[in-house]
Amino acid sequence: MNTAKTIQSALISVFDKEGLEPIVKKLHENNVTIYSTGGTEEFIKSFGIPVVAVEDVTSYPSILGGRVKTLHPKIFGGILNRQDHEGDIAQMEEFQIPQIDLVIVDLYPFEKTVASGASEADIIEKIDIGGISLIRAAAKNFKDTVIVASVNEYALFLDMITNGNGATTLAERKLLATKAFHVSSHYDGAIFNYFNTDETVYKASIADGQVLRYGENPHQKGFFFGEFDKMFNKVHGKELSYNNLLDVDASVNLMSEFKNDKPTFAILKHNNACGLATRNTMKEAYMDALAGDPTSAFGGVLIANGNIDLATANEINQLFCEVVIAPSYDADAIAVLEEKKNRIILIQNDVELPTKQVRTCLNGLLIQDKDNITDNKELLKTVTVTAPSEQEVNDLLFASKICKHTKSNTIVFAKNGQLLASGTGQTSRVDALRHAVEKANSFGFDLNGAVMASDAFFPFPDCVELAKNAGITAVIQPGGSIKDELSINYCNENKVSMVFTGTRHFKH
C-alpha cells in the first residue's frame, strides 16, 4: 500500500519566522496553495508568493485582538477530515471546506516570557490557544495531514519534501506528529507549572536530551536531560560520561559552600571529596587538597572556586584527572591543561540550580527540597564546658560543609582549612570514624588539634572516645540523641569541646 501523500495545500501561521523562507519557496515551487494569517501572511507575500487569507476562507475576521483567528470549522475541518471516509468527504463538499494537507505553526514563547520577568498579564497573553489546537488536530490526523510544530523541525521537513518531490510517507508524518505532541505536552507542562502551587503534584518536561556513551556501566544505556551548555562552557576534552556528570554535579554542589571563600580547591571521586583545602593562593589550595588523598585523586574530578592560573595548571598537569572545573582560567593555564587530549576542561557559569532533588524510587519518584542549610557560627550551640577556639570554630564549619556533601554515614577530620580524612558511606558511624583515622594515618597526617564533623548525632560516647584518642580536640554534630549527655559528659571529662548545630545532614 502506497502511503505517500503529495502536499497540495498548507496552512502557515508562525510566531518565529526564522528559517521559514526556503520552505515557503519550495512549497510555491511545488504549486502548493498557501493559507495564512497576519504577520506570516505579509511575510510570505514579501517574496511575491500568493497567499489566501484565512479570513477569506472562514468569512470571519480576526477578533478579540487576534485571540481568535483560526478557530473555525472550515479550518479544523480541512485539517481533521479523513480522506478515505465517505461521510467526511461528503461533508467537506457540502460545507465547502478546503482540504489542508500541511500545517506549519509554532507557539507563543510562554517560557521565555516567564523567564524574562514579565508581568502576569503579559505572561497570560503568551498562552497560545489557536496554535496548540492546530498542532493537536494535525498531529491526531497524521494519517492524512503533515504537522510541523517547531522551527527545530524546519530542516527535517524541508529535506522530506525535497527528497520526496513534495510528498511525505506515513512514517514521516507519524514522526512529525510525535515531535508535535512533544511540543504541545511540554508547552502545557510549562503553563501548569507556572500556575501550580500544590507540591504534591509533579510535572516535568525537558525538551532536549543527550545520548551518553553508556550509563553507569557499559551494558547500560544512558541519557542526560538538561541544559548543560548553559551551565558550562566545555573548552576541551572528550564527551562527558554518565559517571562524569554525577561527579560534576557533586563537585558543583560541594564547591557552592565555598563560593565566596578564599581560594579553595576540591578533588572528588565517586561523588565524595577525597581532598579539599582553602589557602591564600589557588596553587597552595590545590597542593594541599591533593595531599589529602593523592591515591584517590587519580582519575578524579577537580574543581576550584576561583581562577586557575598557570602555576596551578602546571601542578594539575602532573595528575591524571578526568575533569577540571573553574569559573575562569588564564589562557596559558588552559594551554597547559589541554596537553592531555581527553581531559575535560569546563568553565562554570553562574547559573541558578534547581531547588528540588528528584530520584527514582520503587515504581515512582522521590522528590525533596535541596539541603540548603549551611552551618554557621550563629547556629552553633556549645554544649561542653570547654569551648572551641576561634580557629577550631572555623575548622568545624569547614568540616561541616564537607560532611554535608559526603555519603552517610560519614565522619570528616579537618585542620587549618584542610580536609585530612573522611570515612564515607559506612553502615555504622564507628566504622566511618575508624576508617577516617586509618586514612589520616596512612597519609601521615597528625590529628592532634584536628576537629571532627559528623552528619548525624552520636547515640553512644564511643565515637568521641575514639576521636579523642586519635587527637581530636573539637567536635561538631547536630545533636538530638536521647543519650546526648553520654557524649557530652565524656567530652567534659577529657577537655574536648563540642558544638551542636541542630541540623542533620544525611546524604543517602
Side-chain angles (χ1 to χ4, degrees):
M1 179 181 177
N2 183 15
T3 63
K5 285 186 175 288
T6 300
I7 297 170
Q8 299 182 50
S9 58
L11 170 63
I12 307 176
S13 180
V14 296
F15 186 88
D16 185 354
K17 298 166 185 64
E18 185 177 351
L20 184 62
E21 179 182 347
I23 291 177
V24 296
K25 288 183 175 179
K26 173 59 72 172
L27 294 174
H28 177 61
E29 181 184 312
N30 291 344
N31 298 313
V32 174
T33 300
I34 299 176
Y35 303 95
S36 192
T37 63
T40 308
E41 180 184 346
E42 295 304 316
F43 176 79
I44 297 171
K45 284 180 177 178
S46 70
F47 303 116
I49 296 174
V51 183
V52 179
V54 165
E55 291 92 332
D56 293 341
V57 176
T58 63
S59 300
Y60 217 95
S62 173
I63 62 172
L64 306 180
R67 280 188 164 196
V68 180
K69 290 179 288 191
T70 56
L71 294 168
H72 194 281
K74 281 199 171 182
I75 299 300
F76 281 86
I79 296 169
L80 282 164
N81 73 92
R82 294 157 291 185
Q83 294 180 20
D84 59 355
H85 189 282
E86 290 186 7
D88 287 6
I89 294 170
Q91 287 195 321
M92 291 282 286
E93 184 176 350
E94 177 185 358
F95 296 109
Q96 297 182 323
I97 299 173
Q99 179 68 47
I100 298 176
D101 302 315
L102 163 67
V103 175
I104 302 178
V105 63
D106 63 5
L107 300 170
Y108 293 151
F110 179 83
E111 287 180 282
K112 287 183 179 179
T113 306
V114 172
S116 73
S119 67
E120 183 174 276
D122 288 339
I123 291 171
I124 298 303
E125 285 307 309
K126 290 299 185 288
I127 298 176
D128 208 310
I129 303 300
I132 201 81
S133 302
L134 290 168
I135 288 172
R136 289 176 62 84
K140 174 180 179 176
N141 203 33
F142 68 87
K143 183 179 176 183
D144 294 316
T145 310
V146 183
I147 175 63
V148 179
S150 166
V151 66
N152 296 330
E153 318 310 335
Y154 283 2
L156 173 64
F157 172 68
L158 185 59
D159 284 344
M160 286 178 180
I161 58 173
T162 299
N163 297 331
N165 295 317
T168 60
T169 66
L170 179 61
E172 289 172 335
R173 294 192 296 277
K174 191 169 186 178
L175 172 64
L176 287 170
T178 302
K179 292 178 178 294
F181 282 125
H182 169 55
V183 168
S184 65
S185 63
H186 179 81
Y187 193 77
D188 283 339
I191 294 170
F192 169 79
N193 286 330
Y194 171 74
F195 283 97
N196 182 43
T197 58
D198 184 354
E199 291 189 346
T200 65
V201 178
Y202 177 75
K203 291 185 187 295
S205 175
I206 302 175
D208 300 310
Q210 175 185 347
V211 179
L212 303 174
R213 294 196 302 274
Y214 50 80
E216 202 163 8
N217 298 291
H219 61 277
Q220 296 169 267
K221 290 183 179 180
F223 306 88
F224 173 70
F225 293 91
E227 297 177 300
F228 186 86
D229 292 341
K230 278 191 177 181
M231 191 161 182
F232 300 101
N233 296 331
K234 180 171 174 284
V235 297
H236 182 74
K238 62 184 179 180
E239 292 303 312
L240 281 91
S241 69
Y242 183 98
N243 292 333
N244 287 156
L245 288 167
L246 287 175
D247 283 329
V248 168
D249 176 70
S251 302
V252 167
N253 285 310
L254 171 60
M255 193 53 72
S256 68
E257 304 283 351
F258 301 90
K259 183 177 180 181
N260 299 316
D261 291 3
K262 291 195 304 182
T264 300
F265 210 104
I267 304 172
L268 286 87
K269 197 73 172 288
H270 299 296
N271 304 164
N272 292 312
C274 58
L276 195 151
T278 297
R279 292 293 182 261
N280 291 321
T281 69
M282 196 59 75
K283 177 185 173 181
E284 291 173 327
Y286 168 71
M287 296 301 293
D288 284 348
L290 178 63
D293 187 346
T295 302
S296 296
F298 183 86
V301 171
L302 282 57
I303 186 166
N305 72 342
N307 183 67
I308 291 182
D309 56 15
L310 178 60
T312 309
N314 281 328
E315 295 294 341
I316 293 172
N317 206 35
Q318 299 177 45
L319 174 73
F320 169 70
C321 59
E322 292 274 354
V323 186
V324 182
I325 310 166
S328 63
Y329 302 77
D330 289 345
D332 51 5
I334 287 182
V336 168
L337 294 173
E338 286 180 339
E339 291 177 5
K340 298 295 195 306
K341 182 179 69 171
N342 290 328
R343 179 184 286 148
I344 299 163
I345 304 172
L346 301 177
I347 299 174
Q348 183 180 347
N349 302 318
D350 191 10
V351 175
E352 188 174 345
L353 295 173
T355 59
K356 302 284 186 183
Q357 291 179 312
V358 182
R359 63 196 296 184
T360 58
C361 181
L362 302 176
N363 60 349
L365 300 174
L366 281 174
I367 302 173
Q368 67 171 353
D369 295 332
K370 271 194 169 180
D371 182 357
N372 58 8
I373 294 178
T374 298
D375 297 330
N376 57 62
K377 289 181 181 179
E378 289 69 33
L379 295 173
L380 300 185
K381 177 184 177 183
T382 301
V383 294
T384 50
V385 174
T386 302
S389 67
E390 183 177 353
Q391 179 59 51
E392 285 176 329
V393 168
N394 291 334
D395 281 338
L396 288 168
L397 293 173
F398 175 89
S400 171
K401 291 177 181 180
I402 301 170
C403 196
K404 171 183 169 182
H405 294 274
T406 306
K407 200 79 168 174
S408 297
N409 287 311
T410 185
I411 292 291
V412 169
F413 294 152
K415 183 163 66 172
N416 298 327
Q418 182 184 21
L419 169 63
L420 303 185
S422 58
T424 65
Q426 300 301 308
T427 52
S428 84
R429 200 157 301 281
V430 173
D431 284 344
L433 197 152
R434 286 177 175 147
H435 182 216
V437 171
E438 182 181 341
K439 284 196 71 175
N441 291 336
S442 70
F443 293 114
F445 285 113
D446 181 6
L447 290 177
N448 286 298
V451 306
M452 176 174 76
S454 173
D455 58 331
F457 60 64
F458 301 120
F460 302 102
D462 48 2
C463 281
V464 287
E465 181 178 356
L466 287 168
K468 167 64 172 61
N469 292 337
I472 299 299
T473 57
V475 177
I476 186 171
Q477 60 133 319
S481 169
I482 60 173
K483 296 182 179 180
D484 276 341
E485 286 302 318
L486 296 178
S487 295
I488 293 171
N489 290 339
Y490 179 88
C491 288
N492 283 333
E493 292 166 4
N494 292 274
K495 295 184 172 54
V496 174
S497 63
M498 180 183 287
V499 296
F500 284 1
T501 64
T503 303
R504 189 182 74 184
H505 292 295
F506 268 162
K507 186 184 177 190
H508 282 81

